[in-house]
Amino acid sequence: LKCTPIWYWYSRVSFLLTSPLKAEAEARVLCVGLGAGTLPAFLRHAFPSLDVLCVEIERDVADAAANFMGVKFEEVASEDAHDAFNEAAVNQSSGGDGPMLEKTPFRLVVEDAAEFLERDECVGAFDLVLLDAYDGAGRVPAHLRDANLGFVGKLVRSLRSPGGFVVANLWNSEDRVEFSRERRELEEFRAQLSTAGARSRVDVKVRGQEGNVVVLASTEKMGGNEALLTSLRGVLEAHPGIATSLVPPEHFAASEPY
């Protein structure tokens, strides 16, 4: 597997924000949305200690990633996904099959992520959830945005406690919330994170690509997470075009720019 370059800065930012996890043994990552497969393939290739599972709703997307983009993955049935995680963890901790483990691609489940996260096995299962899911119209699917259906709550509940992270790539707009659909949906997502129990959030923007914002949320207060703060400082120093905003809890679900 060749190391695929990450062309879009919002994908690079999503990758950079995983820094605190890279040294952890048996860290589990869930990617919601496959797209071209760049991010899960890169994470699995560059950091084989990360066990990466991707859930993609569209079979055509998975086929295109494999047949046209050359992305390699191991497709597993949804009911077998956690058994595959546990098997990999045993192999890694025992030292057996180490070289083979490094060569295995990420795993893929073709299923609606909302249904996948309904499983009891998903509660507290992941150290990091990466959300980058869009429909054919370029929007986060409606059933993933609908607060009444509780998808964001499922994301937060799927995190290991303490210290699990959600990293979401979302559309952004500088317009006021009442004038912009993108801004309204972004604010609704922020509010749902807060309601679901996330205790802190970082918003990351890239100069020249302000149409996207990467939202990093955690179930613990980030002010006490030295590994994360060190990572963020390193990102800022290495990439001056990136701006981060550590959002205090009292403004967590604010509807205006901070």
Side-chain angles (χ1 to χ4, degrees):
L1 174 65
K2 293 183 179 179
C3 187
T4 305
I6 300 179
W7 298 111
Y8 294 104
W9 262 107
Y10 64 79
S11 293
R12 296 188 191 187
V13 168
S14 298
F15 159 70
L16 290 167
L17 292 179
T18 68
S19 295
L21 287 175
K22 291 166 192 168
E24 294 187 16
E26 302 173 14
R28 293 182 173 183
V29 179
L30 173 66
C31 296
V32 178
L34 174 64
T38 301
L39 191 56
F42 184 89
L43 288 173
R44 188 70 185 103
H45 178 78
F47 303 97
S49 64
L50 297 183
D51 205 348
V52 181
L53 174 69
C54 185
V55 178
E56 168 57 49
I57 191 172
E58 295 288 349
R59 164 61 61 187
D60 288 347
V61 171
D63 290 345
N67 297 330
F68 297 102
M69 303 300 294
V71 174
K72 297 184 183 300
F73 50 77
E74 177 189 350
E75 185 172 341
V76 295
S78 55
E79 60 269 21
D80 298 330
H82 290 279
D83 289 339
F85 262 139
N86 294 334
E87 181 182 351
V90 169
N91 286 339
Q92 186 166 337
S93 61
S94 66
D97 295 330
M100 290 300 296
L101 182 63
E102 290 186 7
K103 295 179 183 178
T104 59
F106 67 91
R107 297 180 179 89
L108 176 72
V109 170
V110 179
E111 186 181 33
D112 186 340
E115 295 180 5
F116 179 79
L117 289 175
E118 288 281 1
R119 291 176 170 79
D120 291 340
E121 300 95 318
C122 288
V123 177
F126 303 104
D127 300 281
L128 172 69
V129 176
L130 294 162
L131 175 62
D132 192 12
Y134 288 90
D135 60 22
R139 300 179 66 186
V140 175
H143 71 290
L144 302 188
R145 291 184 277 107
D146 190 333
N148 295 322
L149 298 180
F151 175 71
V152 176
K154 296 174 188 176
L155 288 181
V156 175
R157 287 193 296 275
S158 75
L159 297 176
R160 286 181 175 177
S161 182
F165 298 99
V166 172
V167 178
N169 170 48
L170 300 168
W171 290 118
N172 183 39
S173 171
E174 296 302 321
D175 294 331
R176 290 173 62 88
V177 66
E178 59 265 36
F179 300 129
S180 167
R181 183 192 71 194
E182 292 83 2
R183 181 61 185 282
R184 183 171 62 253
E185 292 177 356
L186 173 60
E187 297 301 345
E188 289 170 354
F189 180 80
R190 288 166 167 165
Q192 289 183 53
L193 281 173
S194 179
T195 300
R199 300 182 64 192
S200 53
R201 190 185 83 234
V202 172
D203 294 338
V204 184
K205 299 178 184 178
V206 178
R207 186 181 305 130
Q209 294 186 16
E210 289 83 358
N212 290 87
V213 60
V214 177
V215 177
L216 168 67
S218 177
T219 52
E220 70 175 355
K221 291 183 178 180
M222 292 186 198
N225 190 322
E226 286 302 320
L228 177 65
L229 295 177
T230 299
S231 175
L232 288 174
R233 284 193 291 268
V235 169
L236 289 172
E237 291 172 0
H239 307 283
I242 296 177
T244 65
S245 171
L246 181 60
V247 182
E250 61 269 24
H251 298 298
F252 194 86
S255 60
E256 293 298 330
Y258 343 97

